[in-house]
Amino acid sequence: MTNHIVLYQPEIPQNTGNIARTAAATDAVLDIIKPMKFEITEHNVRRAGLDYWDKVKLVFHDSMDDFMATMAPDAQLTLITKFASRTYSDNDYADLNIDHYMMFGKETTGLPEPFERAHADECLRIPMTDNVRALNLSNCAALVIYEALRQQDFAGLEKVHTYPHDKLK
């Protein structure tokens, strides 16, 4: 079983960087569906001081069709969108025998409406007021991946961390 954070055509490098850190911390795969509004290059990563990129399991897809073709038939796809009647916490992520793909749209326009409509049963939302258009993409990704991990009893993650000096005793 693998958890995947899927970004559809990300536009803001800082959001993608934050999500990459979350993916590294949670051992999730970061799937990016192109095109992107920026490039992830070794120079840019080093310049930003991002010392965790070598820990990110990063997969690029040339299109939505390319991405969909890579998913196993038994994988669970969830689309995070404001146009859904169920919330992200209503979903069952507990099955450790399948891959879970949590897809997020681009920062300005979200996921393509025809794609959302074709996958209406897989659409989930994060409850919020109508005071803002949307939540920050990296916050949404962290919220949803950690809900999935909570339901999976944080499998594979370190639940307790000791102070370095305690290990010397």
Side-chain angles (χ1 to χ4, degrees):
M1 179 279 311
T2 304
N3 289 311
H4 294 253
I5 299 171
V6 183
L7 302 182
Y8 175 76
Q9 300 181 353
E11 300 172 316
I12 301 173
Q14 295 86 345
N15 281 336
T16 302
N18 287 338
I19 294 166
R21 183 183 295 259
T22 299
T26 59
D27 203 28
V29 174
L30 176 56
D31 292 89
I32 296 180
I33 301 171
K34 294 179 180 179
M36 299 168 52
K37 295 272 185 176
F38 57 92
E39 290 185 33
I40 298 174
T41 64
E42 184 178 338
H43 172 74
N44 290 345
V45 167
R46 267 188 293 120
R47 192 171 131 221
L50 305 178
D51 59 352
Y52 54 84
W53 274 94
D54 63 327
K55 313 265 187 303
V56 178
K57 299 172 189 167
L58 187 59
V59 180
F60 289 101
H61 306 275
D62 290 329
S63 66
M64 184 72 85
D65 289 339
D66 177 47
F67 165 75
M68 294 298 289
T70 66
M71 287 182 50
D74 64 342
Q76 181 189 65
L77 174 66
T78 55
L79 284 58
I80 309 304
T81 172
K82 68 189 301 182
F83 303 105
S85 57
R86 294 185 316 130
T87 67
Y88 73 100
S89 58
D90 291 336
N91 198 53
D92 183 0
Y93 304 96
D95 190 342
L96 297 177
N97 297 310
I98 64 171
D99 289 348
H100 298 273
Y101 291 83
M102 293 151 262
M103 182 183 286
F104 301 84
K106 58 172 101 173
E107 288 93 333
T108 55
T109 58
L111 293 165
E113 183 178 342
F115 185 79
E116 283 187 11
R117 288 185 182 274
H119 296 276
D121 291 342
E122 290 94 23
C123 289
L124 303 171
R125 70 175 277 121
I126 298 171
M128 62 181 196
T129 69
D130 61 358
N131 294 334
V132 295
R133 181 176 45 81
L135 295 169
N136 176 273
L137 180 62
S138 62
N139 292 340
C140 292
L143 188 66
V144 174
I145 190 70
Y146 271 96
E147 172 60 20
L149 289 163
R150 183 192 67 78
Q151 290 184 27
Q152 298 162 5
D153 196 30
F154 300 103
L157 299 185
E158 182 181 341
K159 287 182 176 179
V160 176
H161 190 77
T162 58
Y163 291 101
H165 67 274
D166 289 347
K167 294 177 182 176
L168 299 175
K169 294 179 183 179

